[in-house]
Amino acid sequence: MTRLLVWRHGNTDYNAGGRVQGQTDAPLNARGRDQAAAAAALLASFHPDVLVSSDLSRAHDTASALASLTGLSITPDPRLRERHFGEWQGALLTDIESQHPTEYARWRAGDPSPGCGIESLDDLAKRVVEALQDAAELAPGGTVVVTTHGGAARQGCGALLGWPNEATRTLGSLGNCHWTELTDRSRRVGGTGWQLTAHNVGVPS
């Protein structure tokens, strides 16, 4: 059985300030570094075999907290970056709502391609699920920790489970430094492929 732990990065000033990060390279703040250290202590108890991360610093630095406890090296993968938010990257959500009310409403309603240069959900799912599958193949039958971003994690996990966008939207957002656990039982007799084992697990913050 292969276990995949899809871990969201720690808090940043963009998270705290209500800004859209997308693929901007916002670093962890002090709270985010503390969250990463606390979560890493829990994740280390899973005895991971492989550690893969988005190449954006907030994810890589989160992964580094676990790498320091396990001695694992971090394999960077740019496919694990957050959804690209086009014109909205770095902007306050309140400003986006007032300046782009139509597109904002479409985004909030789950439109897979709301405009303003935002990456479509289908494109996001395609690159992230490919990254998750490749990560899992690095340790068949083992435990793989993948450090990524909130939107990327949800869409990638939904795609790996074979869910349509409407079902994927029912997964609540991951808290900072929380993770989703997926297991692949396809190598067992009568196995059913990837299954959702747990969601939004982590240290309360």
Side-chain angles (χ1 to χ4, degrees), residues 2-7 50 52-54 77-81 124-140 143-149 151-162 171 174 180-182 184 194:
T2 303
R3 176 190 285 127
L4 193 60
L5 300 169
V6 184
W7 186 24
V50 172
V52 182
S53 176
S54 159
D77 191 334
R79 294 175 298 177
L80 293 168
R81 289 183 178 188
L124 174 63
K126 182 176 185 297
R127 65 173 169 84
V128 178
V129 77
E130 288 175 354
L132 294 179
Q133 289 168 333
D134 288 349
E137 286 302 317
L138 294 175
T143 296
V144 178
V145 177
V146 175
T147 313
T148 184
H149 309 264
R154 178 163 61 181
Q155 209 63 30
C157 288
L160 194 62
L161 292 163
L171 273 178
L174 284 175
T180 297
E181 180 179 343
L182 304 168
D184 180 11
W194 287 103

Side-chain angles (χ1 to χ4, degrees), residues 83 109-114 119-126 151 154-171:
R83 185 181 191 181
D111 188 319
S113 189
E119 182 179 13
S120 74
L121 289 180
D122 289 343
D123 287 346
L124 174 63
K126 182 176 185 297
R154 178 163 61 181
Q155 209 63 30
C157 288
L160 194 62
L161 292 163
W163 293 358
N165 286 335
E166 294 78 12
T168 299
R169 272 180 55 80
T170 66
L171 273 178

Side-chain angles (χ1 to χ4, degrees), residues 21-166:
Q21 292 184 108
Q23 294 187 12
T24 58
D25 202 12
L28 295 178
N29 56 25
R31 181 184 179 197
R33 291 189 292 273
D34 288 345
Q35 289 172 331
L42 284 181
L43 286 167
S45 68
F46 287 92
H47 305 291
D49 300 289
V50 172
L51 183 52
V52 182
S53 176
S54 159
D55 61 344
L56 295 177
S57 64
R58 60 189 182 273
H60 188 274
D61 290 350
T62 297
S64 294
L66 181 57
S68 67
L69 295 179
T70 60
L72 294 171
S73 60
I74 301 169
T75 300
D77 191 334
R79 294 175 298 177
L80 293 168
R81 289 183 178 188
E82 182 59 289
R83 185 181 191 181
H84 196 288
F85 272 85
E87 300 171 30
W88 295 3
Q89 294 199 148
L92 289 166
L93 281 169
T94 51
D95 290 342
I96 293 168
E97 185 176 13
S98 63
Q99 295 168 13
H100 305 278
T102 300
E103 292 84 357
Y104 181 85
R106 289 171 60 183
W107 171 61
R108 283 297 194 194
D111 188 319
S113 189
C116 290
I118 298 172
E119 182 179 13
S120 74
L121 289 180
D122 289 343
D123 287 346
L124 174 63
K126 182 176 185 297
R127 65 173 169 84
V128 178
V129 77
E130 288 175 354
L132 294 179
Q133 289 168 333
D134 288 349
E137 286 302 317
L138 294 175
T143 296
V144 178
V145 177
V146 175
T147 313
T148 184
H149 309 264
R154 178 163 61 181
Q155 209 63 30
C157 288
L160 194 62
L161 292 163
W163 293 358
N165 286 335
E166 294 78 12

